[in-house]
Amino acid sequence: MYTLITGLYKQWTQKEEFYVIILGLDNAGKTTLLERIKSIYLGVAGLPPEKIAPTVGLNIGKVEINNTRLNFWDLGGQRELHSIWEKYYSECHAIVFVVDATDKERIEEVKETFETVITNDTVEGVPVLMLANKQDVPSALKVHEIKEIFNPIALRLGARDSKVLPVSALKGDGVQEAVDWLFVRLQRNRTNRPPIFRN
Amino acid sequence: MGFWTAFLTTLGIVRRRVSILILGLDNSGKTTIIAHFIRASSVPAAPSPTSPPPIVPTVGFSLEKFDYENLNFTVFDMSGQGRYRELWKHYYDDTDGLVWVLDAGDKERMAVVREELWSVLSHKALQQKKIPIVFFANKMDLEGSLTPQECIAALGLEEIRDRNWNIVASSAVNGEGLNRGLEWLAGQLKER
């Protein structure tokens, strides 16, 4: 009887959890994006952007949508840290790749990095969302320009879900749409990468 | 916290109290780091003719306090010597954040650090409390010290996935990097 009741209780209270890793070059705005997501969904004021220093480590954000928990892992973007990213691949359900759309000089580097990430076998089939960040700056590359640059690589994404969306992590524009997109794709990909159940 | 204290804290008139625990092996630089923060927070007095007391190995632990921005830090500077590490666990319950100091020049003992770190992190009290950790890859001024990236690899820090952490290269003797680490930790503590 005890087992039955605790079992039912667990069933009742357990939540689906998905893990999303936030990648991208240094200074792309990954931590600012995470803080923005936290402030939108949790209603708490995040770290002020001017206080955000380069991440060499991990920042976590937990957000609940429709009784489902999304865990964001924001990883450091410096070149020496890229080798650590792949340690998270087997546990992640989606990848958010943040691009600094104002930094045209580093687009080649972004391309190479992005290609290395998505061609890794461990993330096969995982939904990929590319965010063209810093759209609050007028000179930033627009979504269609980013798409043009990345189209050749996108072919290699194969059958998986992918999308390029414009955001301004600083102002918060487009962030909710981005999370909504993720939520739908995580659910759609659940047979391939099933959620984790936790109490 | 009484009503008035809470009220004044919200207004920013009274600094909010946070307590942190500073851990790491012996001779990694914990006490020197704390001494730096205490010096930085105290009102600069007239230059004293006597030099500050030399840093000696901490026995047991020592309790220090300093202010940083709008936080009032209470620091438990734990001794890193093997026989005192048993004491660490008694302080986990009341701490809001961890500072872990690494002697980045001491490659031989990285394996010991790794073992100690994981035994700390797997302690029940810290499993329930997802408090943030800042690592100082200390002694960066010494030639041949490991970089933060190398420390991550040596200690398997990427396995820490249930709490926020950050690693900063530092030199306790010349103060480099210390504020960056503390600023990160302060930001983490303010959020809650």
Side-chain angles (χ1 to χ4, degrees), chain B residues 15 22 37 41 51 55 57 62 66 69-71 80 87 102 105-109 116 126 132-133 153 170 174 179 186:
Chain B
R15 290 193 170 88
I22 174 158
F37 290 139
S41 93
S51 51
I55 306 275
S62 79
F66 65 86
E69 294 186 345
N70 55 355
L71 296 173
L87 286 176
L102 303 161
D106 187 359
K107 288 167 205 153
E108 285 79 24
R109 289 209 295 169
E116 291 289 350
L126 290 180
I133 313 179
S170 72
N174 63 30
N179 278 338

Side-chain angles (χ1 to χ4, degrees), chain A residues 35 38 47 51 55-60 73 78 80-81 84 87-88 91, chain B residues 69 148-149 152 158 160-167 183-184 187-188 191:
Chain A
E35 290 299 324
K38 274 158 64 178
L47 276 177
K51 283 263 174 195
T55 304
V56 185
L58 172 71
N59 298 309
I60 303 174
W73 278 332
Q78 291 160 31
E80 306 79 45
L81 298 169
I84 299 167
K87 308 237 165 103
Y88 295 83
E91 274 189 68
Chain B
E69 294 186 345
Q149 290 76 25
I152 294 175
E158 75 280 354
I160 307 176
R161 297 184 181 183
D162 53 354
R163 65 186 76 236
N164 290 358
W165 63 271
N166 221 315
I167 183 165
E183 173 145 345
W184 181 84
Q188 298 292 314
E191 264 186 51

Side-chain angles (χ1 to χ4, degrees), chain A residues 22-182:
Chain A
I22 305 177
L23 307 178
L25 299 189
D26 49 290
N27 200 36
K30 298 180 290 300
T31 306
T32 309
L33 174 73
L34 179 75
E35 290 299 324
R36 179 57 68 183
I37 292 173
K38 274 158 64 178
S39 74
I40 292 176
Y41 285 87
L42 305 174
V44 294
L47 276 177
E50 70 275 8
K51 283 263 174 195
I52 294 174
T55 304
V56 185
L58 172 71
N59 298 309
I60 303 174
K62 296 179 183 197
V63 162
E64 239 167 73
I65 304 171
N66 300 340
N67 219 26
T68 302
R69 181 175 280 169
L70 302 192
N71 296 287
F72 290 93
W73 278 332
D74 158 38
L75 306 177
Q78 291 160 31
R79 181 171 275 281
E80 306 79 45
L81 298 169
H82 294 186
S83 56
I84 299 167
W85 292 356
E86 54 191 65
K87 308 237 165 103
Y88 295 83
Y89 288 170
S90 62
E91 274 189 68
C92 79
H93 296 87
I95 294 173
V96 173
F97 195 93
V98 185
V99 182
D100 177 353
T102 64
D103 195 353
K104 286 157 201 158
E105 276 162 30
R106 291 181 80 190
I107 282 295
E108 246 346 277
E109 196 184 340
V110 176
K111 258 165 102 172
E112 279 167 33
T113 312
F114 183 65
E115 191 162 7
T116 324
V117 171
I118 59 161
T119 50
N120 190 298
D121 287 340
T122 330
V123 290
E124 211 189 327
V126 168
V128 176
L129 175 59
M130 184 179 258
L131 295 179
N133 193 23
K134 311 200 184 177
Q135 292 297 321
D136 50 289
V137 180
S139 64
L141 292 169
K142 299 286 167 284
V143 165
H144 68 90
E145 291 170 289
I146 296 265
K147 269 188 188 159
E148 264 165 41
I149 297 168
F150 288 94
N151 263 345
I153 310 176
L155 291 173
R156 307 181 66 167
L157 281 163
R160 76 176 108 187
D161 273 319
S162 66
K163 178 109 180 153
V164 185
L165 286 175
V167 293
S168 163
L170 194 65
K171 304 267 181 253
D173 302 329
V175 173
Q176 200 149 354
E177 289 82 349
V179 176
D180 287 344
W181 185 90
L182 278 173

Side-chain angles (χ1 to χ4, degrees), chain B residues 55-115:
Chain B
I55 306 275
V56 295
T58 306
V59 173
F61 75 91
S62 79
L63 180 62
E64 304 288 354
K65 277 177 195 228
F66 65 86
D67 294 331
Y68 184 79
E69 294 186 345
N70 55 355
L71 296 173
N72 173 243
F73 281 87
T74 301
V75 188
F76 289 88
D77 175 15
M78 306 302 295
S79 171
Q81 295 173 47
R83 70 194 126 156
Y84 292 117
R85 285 179 213 149
E86 276 297 301
L87 286 176
W88 294 359
K89 59 173 177 287
H90 301 295
Y91 298 86
Y92 298 158
D93 275 326
D94 297 316
T95 187
D96 302 307
L98 281 187
V99 175
W100 191 289
V101 184
L102 303 161
D103 178 349
D106 187 359
K107 288 167 205 153
E108 285 79 24
R109 289 209 295 169
M110 278 295 161
V112 183
V113 177
R114 187 176 184 145
E115 204 170 296

Side-chain angles (χ1 to χ4, degrees), chain B residues 28-29 33 101-105 136-140 145 168 170-172 178:
Chain B
S28 53
I33 287 179
V101 184
L102 303 161
D103 178 349
F136 283 111
N138 199 28
K139 310 202 184 180
M140 61 179 274
S145 287
V168 176
S170 72
S171 163
L178 296 180

